[in-house]
Amino acid sequence: MSERSATRPRRRVRVAIAMVVLAGAAAVTAQATLHAAEARRALERARRILGGAGAEPLSSSSPQDRLVLIDRAATLTEKAISRLSGWPLAPLGRLPILGRDLRVAYTIATEGRAVLDATRDAAAAADPLVSGRIDGPRLDAASHAFLRLAHTLQEASRKVRDSASLVLSGSGRRAFLTDVRAARRSADASGRALGLAARFYGSAGSVRYFLAFQNPAELRGTGGLIGQYGLLESSPDGPRLVSVSPIGALQARTTGAVALSGDAADRYRRFGVDRDWTAVNVPPDFPTAAAVIVDLYSHATGARMDGVIAVDPLAAAKVLEASGPIAVSGVHLAADNVADVTMIRAYQSFASDNAARSRFLAAAAAETFAALVRGLRTSPARTLTALTEAARGRHVQAYSTDPADQGAFASLGITGSAAAPRDGDYLMPVGVNVAGNKLDAFLRRDIRYEVRLLPDGDALATASLTLRNEAPPRLPEYVQGPHDARFRAGQNRQFQTLYLAGGYAFTRATLNDRPTLAEAQVDLGALALSQEVDIDRGKAVTLAYELQRAGAARIESDLMFYSLLVRPQATAHPDQLEILVGAPAGWRFLRVPPEFRVDGRGAAREGFPLLAEDRLEFVLARSNT
């Protein structure tokens, strides 16, 4: 046999071997692809189920239902881990480049298992609370369980984020990180809130809060005049409302002033914020007002306060919506009438007897608090949801002298801060009634904010506020005034301030389209533009400002980013807001906030109620990209 003819069988053998290897590799690849797809599907189903289980300590679903969902997600997660750690995925996962998708998927699965274990512990710790068996040890145990869950979520996020970038399943990694980030915030806030609640289940008086009952029928910066106040103390059985008294009782004991700090100290001192209990909450920033309340209470009584909680009739309506109606001196109070009765009708019914009105309002406050306590014991999920809704509109605000507790309140979003954001635009309207009447129960406020972005990121803006006095005729003098010769019956006098980003300057101010003067001052890191205006019964006035700001938007390569933080004042009626953002020449909108529409004028949303703080984000791109 020649050498050439001898090489042919060897070549055919090599080809056959190569084909066998390729076939085997194809089979392994097909099997690996199938197993990887099954693992991804299992992880995706587990993620959706776990989302349904919720991270809230007192969600509307029963503890048993949540545990069933958690166990179902755990089964799917274990299935995915089994696939990823077995043949053929485990060997492929050890390959330097080709295995990175599998390694990240395995990290997601194992971290998901740790999250599920912590979620199961948190759900079990919340079970007694949902059942109404609330006490200090149970609240403390639940607090620790949710804080451990938050820590587990944070570690899971770190490990997955630090893993190799995915190629084929990047969306799964992004979804995992997004879900974990949201769940961590929720678990952390829940743990902090439960820890705060646990402190009220201690020795009598170990925790003491000033409870301010604000009445937005007579506006102040944080919401309304503090007509009544209470002392909220800890006790072995939980929070106890020790007393409710008219604020005048404190005023009679106040003989001095407290120190004010900040850029606007002189302005607030002009209102008597440092010494007058009817003016302590003129600043719109609740931490500022609450610190004054704590200091002034200590000066007046010699007693300490650990913090301040402010509520108003709109919060009471939410409480009664969850707990059911109450009766006060034969008057039926429910969610649909408590605000009207306590803000207006009480002043009509007791027009000639201020002492009787104060007793009625104090009794209404005490009964509402009792309804809140009952609701927390019998239907905690519904009651806490009601309080959360009230807090969104600043009808519940809280402050603590302890920095850690204040941080917990901040994580819950109930501090009532009015400090300007560090970046982006800012808009917060604030009215203060200076006529001493209760006509803000009939005040309506419309705000229009139109900003035109320029190609370099600067902005030209116009801001206007229209105030309408819809007070009916023949109201009691205590409601409509006048209280002295400076005013007329039915006249609402407002010290109206518009808070804007600190980088703005105003070039023109008008009142009813006529040029006017306006007070401009730096306050809380913002530009505060103020005018004092009169609004007669049945009339309206419009204040407007023309503004300009450098660097209102951020430009990165071919993208422009513009954000606007809007904040409400806790008013009797929500403000109506209209916003229009115009794009610069050569730019187009890439992303706008929900419910905004884009047309030839720009991105706009018209006539929507300002019910809660909101950060509106806009992204623009150059038209040629």
Side-chain angles (χ1 to χ4, degrees):
M1 180 180 295
S2 68
E3 184 178 345
R4 182 176 180 183
S5 61
T7 60
R8 289 176 182 170
R10 290 198 295 270
R11 187 177 301 162
R12 284 196 290 268
V13 169
R14 286 197 299 269
V15 171
I17 292 172
M19 291 183 68
V20 169
V21 170
L22 288 173
V28 170
T29 302
Q31 189 178 12
T33 302
L34 176 63
H35 283 235
E38 289 177 353
R40 282 198 296 271
R41 283 196 296 271
L43 285 175
E44 177 60 24
R45 287 178 61 199
R47 187 179 67 82
R48 289 199 301 268
I49 291 172
L50 186 57
E56 299 293 343
L58 300 173
S59 65
S60 57
S61 61
S62 70
Q64 294 78 13
D65 291 341
R66 291 199 301 277
L67 288 173
V68 167
L69 291 172
I70 291 168
D71 288 341
R72 191 181 304 164
T75 299
L76 290 165
T77 301
E78 291 300 332
K79 179 181 178 182
I81 291 174
S82 177
R83 292 291 190 189
L84 291 164
S85 58
W87 171 265
L89 298 184
L92 290 175
R94 287 191 286 271
L95 296 176
I97 297 176
L98 297 178
R100 58 185 174 182
D101 282 355
L102 296 173
R103 291 194 296 274
V104 173
Y106 185 79
T107 302
I108 290 174
T110 54
E111 292 307 308
R113 178 167 58 190
V115 168
L116 282 163
D117 290 342
T119 302
R120 185 182 290 105
D121 292 344
D127 186 1
L129 309 182
V130 176
S131 305
R133 303 191 305 277
I134 300 175
D135 57 28
R138 289 188 177 101
L139 285 165
D140 198 51
S143 171
H144 282 88
F146 275 88
L147 291 176
R148 284 195 299 273
L149 172 58
H151 177 73
T152 302
L153 288 161
Q154 185 176 22
E155 283 298 295
S157 178
R158 180 185 64 79
K159 290 179 181 179
V160 172
R161 189 175 57 249
D162 292 346
S163 62
S165 300
L166 290 171
V167 177
L168 300 177
S169 51
S171 60
R173 178 174 179 266
R174 286 192 298 271
F176 179 86
L177 291 173
T178 299
D179 288 351
V180 164
R181 193 160 44 243
R184 186 195 63 78
R185 286 196 298 265
S186 177
D188 183 72
S190 298
R192 289 170 178 260
L194 290 163
L196 286 168
R199 294 187 58 202
F200 277 96
Y201 287 79
S203 58
S206 59
V207 176
R208 305 180 78 229
Y209 270 69
F210 185 98
L211 188 56
F213 297 100
Q214 299 189 137
N215 184 353
E218 185 176 341
L219 272 176
R220 296 293 185 267
T222 64
L225 171 78
I226 303 174
Q228 307 280 328
Y229 79 98
L231 301 180
L232 186 63
E233 292 187 352
S234 59
S235 81
D237 295 325
R240 184 168 67 101
L241 185 58
V242 176
S243 64
V244 179
S245 307
I247 202 68
L250 271 181
Q251 189 64 57
R253 302 173 65 179
T254 302
T255 57
V258 298
L260 299 179
S261 59
D263 295 319
D266 290 340
R267 172 186 182 181
Y268 292 137
R269 199 174 290 111
R270 185 178 78 204
F271 282 99
V273 170
D274 58 341
R275 61 191 179 278
D276 185 350
W277 282 97
T278 67
V280 287
N281 57 336
V282 163
D285 183 62
F286 189 71
T288 298
V292 173
I293 289 172
V294 169
D295 288 349
L296 205 57
Y297 186 85
S298 177
H299 277 65
T301 67
R304 82 169 207 290
M305 280 291 158
D306 296 306
V308 182
I309 297 174
V311 296
D312 66 19
L314 287 305
K318 288 294 183 183
V319 169
L320 298 185
E321 185 179 295
S323 69
I326 57 176
V328 179
S329 301
V331 179
H332 176 86
L333 295 179
D336 61 352
N337 75 338
V338 65
D340 181 54
V341 169
T342 54
M343 285 195 299
I344 296 298
R345 282 164 54 188
Y347 296 94
Q348 295 172 315
S349 301
F350 301 100
S352 58
D353 193 341
N354 290 344
R357 184 190 66 252
S358 290
R359 288 194 297 271
F360 174 81
L361 292 175
E367 287 298 322
T368 301
F369 180 78
L372 170 64
V373 173
R374 286 195 303 274
L376 289 172
R377 287 174 178 164
T378 58
S379 53
R382 188 175 179 185
T383 303
L384 288 176
T385 298
L387 287 175
T388 300
E389 291 175 359
R392 282 171 54 81
R394 299 197 167 207
H395 302 295
V396 177
Q397 300 170 79
Y399 165 82
S400 174
T401 58
D402 184 292
D405 288 350
Q406 182 66 4
F409 286 141
S411 71
L412 295 169
I414 59 173
T415 60
S417 172
R422 294 180 179 178
D423 51 31
D425 259 3
Y426 180 43
L427 186 69
M428 182 179 183
V430 175
V432 174
N433 184 305
V434 293
N437 54 42
K438 299 294 182 286
L439 290 178
D440 295 321
F442 309 103
L443 182 68
R444 302 283 184 166
R445 193 165 57 189
D446 297 333
I447 301 114
R448 176 180 170 83
Y449 188 65
E450 183 175 345
V451 58
R452 181 162 60 87
L453 299 175
L454 302 179
D456 58 359
D458 292 356
L460 300 176
T462 302
S464 66
L465 302 94
T466 298
L467 295 86
R468 303 192 311 277
N469 181 350
E470 298 182 352
R474 295 183 295 278
L475 291 168
E477 182 178 324
Y478 198 91
V479 175
Q480 71 172 8
H483 298 300
D484 60 48
R486 294 175 300 164
F487 307 105
R488 299 180 295 277
Q491 178 189 40
N492 190 331
R493 180 169 293 178
Q494 288 276 309
F495 185 78
Q496 183 65 53
T497 302
L498 186 64
Y499 285 81
L500 301 153
Y504 271 109
F506 84 99
T507 57
R508 188 170 183 259
T510 60
L511 176 61
N512 292 334
D513 294 325
R514 295 181 178 179
T516 189
L517 298 177
E519 177 182 312
Q521 188 164 8
V522 175
D523 186 16
L524 302 165
L527 171 67
L529 299 177
S530 304
Q531 296 186 48
E532 189 171 286
V533 295
D534 289 324
I535 314 107
D536 289 328
R537 190 196 326 262
K539 302 294 185 181
V541 299
T542 298
L543 298 73
Y545 302 96
E546 293 180 6
L547 308 150
Q548 60 185 26
R549 180 189 175 194
R554 187 179 81 255
I555 298 177
E556 295 181 6
S557 185
D558 290 327
L559 296 177
M560 180 183 293
F561 301 88
Y562 172 75
S563 70
L564 171 64
L565 177 67
V566 292
R567 282 193 176 126
Q569 182 183 19
T571 53
H573 307 284
D575 293 331
Q576 296 296 306
L577 184 59
E578 179 179 353
I579 294 176
L580 173 63
V581 179
W587 293 78
R588 58 183 173 82
F589 284 99
L590 202 61
R591 187 171 71 243
V592 299
E595 300 186 48
F596 272 73
R597 57 181 177 79
V598 178
D599 57 24
R601 300 178 304 155
R605 188 178 176 194
E606 300 174 354
F608 65 98
L610 181 53
L611 299 174
E613 178 176 310
D614 195 8
R615 184 179 285 274
L616 306 171
E617 304 280 0
F618 302 80
V619 180
L620 300 88
R622 296 187 192 275
S623 298
N624 58 356
T625 62

